[in-house]
Amino acid sequence: MSLRTANNPKRYLLARAMAPELVTADDILEFDLDSNPVKDAQLALYLERYIHSEIFKVRPDINAVVHNHSPSVIPFGVSTVSLRPLFNTAAFIGEGVPTFEIRDFQESGDLIVKTPHLGASLAKTLGAKPAALMRGHGAVVVGESLMLAVVRGIYLELSAKLQMQAMLIAGPGGKVVYLDDREVATTTSRQASAGTWKRSWDLWCTKARAQIEMEQKAKRRRRK
Amino acid sequence: MSLRTANNPKRYLLARAMAPELVTADDILEFDLDSNPVKDAQLALYLERYIHSEIFKVRPDINAVVHNHSPSVIPFGVSTVSLRPLFNTAAFIGEGVPTFEIRDFQESGDLIVKTPHLGASLAKTLGAKPAALMRGHGAVVVGESLMLAVVRGIYLELSAKLQMQAMLIAGPGGKVVYLDDREVATTTSRQASAGTWKRSWDLWCTKARAQIEMEQKAKRRRRK
Amino acid sequence: MSLRTANNPKRYLLARAMAPELVTADDILEFDLDSNPVKDAQLALYLERYIHSEIFKVRPDINAVVHNHSPSVIPFGVSTVSLRPLFNTAAFIGEGVPTFEIRDFQESGDLIVKTPHLGASLAKTLGAKPAALMRGHGAVVVGESLMLAVVRGIYLELSAKLQMQAMLIAGPGGKVVYLDDREVATTTSRQASAGTWKRSWDLWCTKARAQIEMEQKAKRRRRK
Amino acid sequence: MSLRTANNPKRYLLARAMAPELVTADDILEFDLDSNPVKDAQLALYLERYIHSEIFKVRPDINAVVHNHSPSVIPFGVSTVSLRPLFNTAAFIGEGVPTFEIRDFQESGDLIVKTPHLGASLAKTLGAKPAALMRGHGAVVVGESLMLAVVRGIYLELSAKLQMQAMLIAGPGGKVVYLDDREVATTTSRQASAGTWKRSWDLWCTKARAQIEMEQKAKRRRRK
């Protein structure tokens, strides 16, 4: 997860290469839009940081980028079935969630986005959309704010899971009612203005804080 | 979740707009049946409080209303497959669980029940039933008591999950034995009189209390 | 869960009617094989205690009976698809898991086993088998020891879940290799003699104790 | 889980027969490659320790062996559907995951690998691959290091779950894009050199330590 810096749109914050769950404030570094660290910290960096910088370059409307391996979206990324908007909190899916096929942009066979070229290709696939699936890998989700990118990431996972269930219940050729274009437009617009996400965000922050405290306590005990 | 006040059937209790998991006694407000707060508290209110007031208006037998986004029922709400009574503790589904299609009652395209008109339309779809699915959104579940509404909400989720599994095991055209009308009537009637739910309720209250205490402890630590 | 008393095969122990997770030693009562409490304790009793007594009557080889609503077995109980032995730790399923259809034994339409007649009918359906499904309700699982009945109950749940998945992967008409009769016989016989279950049992007891302590701590805090 | 000893490739470490979750340093024994304990400790030993010794014998490149009953791989082991490489972190599946059919190597009908002959047969089925499914039982996963064997075991489980979902979404005859040979080769090679797994490993160790501490605390409380 990355965040464009508040005072300089040409820089962004991202952790050094480590498990996201263990990141603390000290692990967060500042990068320029070529993904060079602003201060040379002699730390291991994420190979895929170009996902973030290349999206920040072409999406001035976006201030936060999440790259994850959200399990329920991976099966959609490897199939030809599209994610479609199924319910209120995941209405943004109706704005479009394209799939990035890395085979179209390189010869090497690796699956990760480890060059500026691949990052720019992913950013191009993403276009003006809120999220893109990455075939055989995971997803990238963006937002005007950190909160919005996280909210979308969480509901993308839930929506993928429920769409699979709806398809199974309906059976081959069975009918599933997805949100129509007007529903997507009206719903996402109301959500943007009504402070809808603040409630979930408060809850998740409370829970994340509790978990962070537990992990840190365990870490301190270990050091003794 | 809302509760009709004990001493005035024309009023009900509902939290201010916030994540349900974080609600404490101080966050609960009193509303009249037009969903106006009795004391003007200058707090953000749930846009969908009309779900509660409009059901309380037309269902004098009901004292508690739960609106949720119970995940396993959402796939049924968007398909043409009905929830059917599958097992003992969810026998009440046999009384009928209609689906509320908000498209039939508005032009705007939004998916939430944010006006008295929409609340009344949902209440009409619900009719005398114990629950209704809300297409592309979630469900509403009602009860004579808070306990009954919660019990039904929890078993609605479980029953949806198990019905999907039963359908998958049976395969297309395969046989699933649902409860018949007599089983539904006899079972729900016995459950109502035999104090059946008290046992689960005691357990869930114990667990909820433990979780609340944990969250509040975390909150206090944060404030220091 | 019930246990035949060590010193009198015509008596058994069962908790008073309450959530199993909250039972403590003080809540356990002694019953005769007509399911009358040996001491009149003026406490609410499980309506379904006849499940236990009627099985103890006709199965002298059995000292423990578990009745549960194990979620993954319920879909099998309502379909015509049989549980079959799929993997090592659930090999006992190959001894047979019949389904009890309560409609065949009463007119009333209720789904619970609340009379000696229904208990005896369930015991007859169970026969000499290690478990039986109860259509639209749950399962009953038996064992020579409390440990064995619990082990079987836990692996019955897991086996049902994995059999459903195997059926879905194989697809309609696809091949699934179940254990054959010799595998069932050799495997269950080795498991009976080799102390196989002691390892899982130790782990589960450790975990159960931890949870019990947590619940009781919460209870004590509440009382203050 | 076993580990070849650092100073003697003809010996390996394995716990005495007990639930893996409860193992502490004191429970770990040293064995020779015929699975005899180096010091006679008068302790119950795993019947299946030949899985480990026979693989160590024929795979000098391997220093760690995991045998588990990872739930999501069991349905693949009993079907004719192969696990295939679906996403980045489980690319190693593309090197091949054969299925061990114990029926081909014995007459007795038991499902566990309790003799040197069966262990050697499993090792032969495994060949030079990173993992093998064991029909009706579980899986064996190997690695040059303990970390790699664990990483593979965890992603084997996740990949099996997601492959099943992808197959269900795609439907009968539907298309699923698996990693091709070049993707498997490039990806696994990059993962081996880039310290990719260190991040997950750090997180899992932190979590495992926290759980171990909790279990041990509970154990100490019990002893008082």
Side-chain angles (χ1 to χ4, degrees), chain B residues 88 177 182-183 186 190 213, chain C residues 78 107-108 110 135-136 221:
Chain B
N88 178 42
V177 181
R182 193 168 55 171
E183 285 173 332
T186 314
R190 186 251 311 150
E213 285 164 21
Chain C
V78 300
E107 299 284 309
S108 92
D110 201 355
R135 193 269 307 161
R221 267 200 305 269

Side-chain angles (χ1 to χ4, degrees), chain C residues 86-88 162 165-166 168-169 175-180 182-183 186-187 190 199 203 206-207 209 213, chain D residues 17-19 21-22 71 75-76 78-79 81 103 107-112 135-136 164 167 215 221-222:
Chain C
L86 193 76
F87 62 103
N88 178 42
L162 299 187
Q165 293 177 8
L168 292 179
I169 289 170
K175 191 182 169 191
V176 175
V177 181
Y178 296 100
L179 307 200
D180 62 28
R182 193 168 54 170
E183 286 173 331
T186 313
T187 300
R190 185 251 310 152
R199 302 202 303 256
L203 178 63
T206 302
K207 294 191 169 202
R209 273 189 202 100
E213 287 165 21
Chain D
M18 64 184 296
E21 237 179 289
L22 298 178
F76 282 90
V78 300
S79 80
V81 178
R103 284 179 194 168
E107 298 284 309
S108 92
D110 202 355
L111 284 160
I112 69 170
R135 193 268 308 161
M164 183 186 72
M167 288 169 61
E215 304 278 358
R221 267 199 307 268
R222 214 186 335 157

Side-chain angles (χ1 to χ4, degrees), chain A residues 5 14 21 43 48 84 90 110 115 122 144 148 156 161 192:
Chain A
T5 55
L14 180 70
E21 238 179 288
L43 294 164
E48 297 198 291
R84 295 184 59 188
D110 201 355
T115 65
L122 172 58
E144 291 86 317
L148 190 58
L156 192 71
K161 193 185 291 183

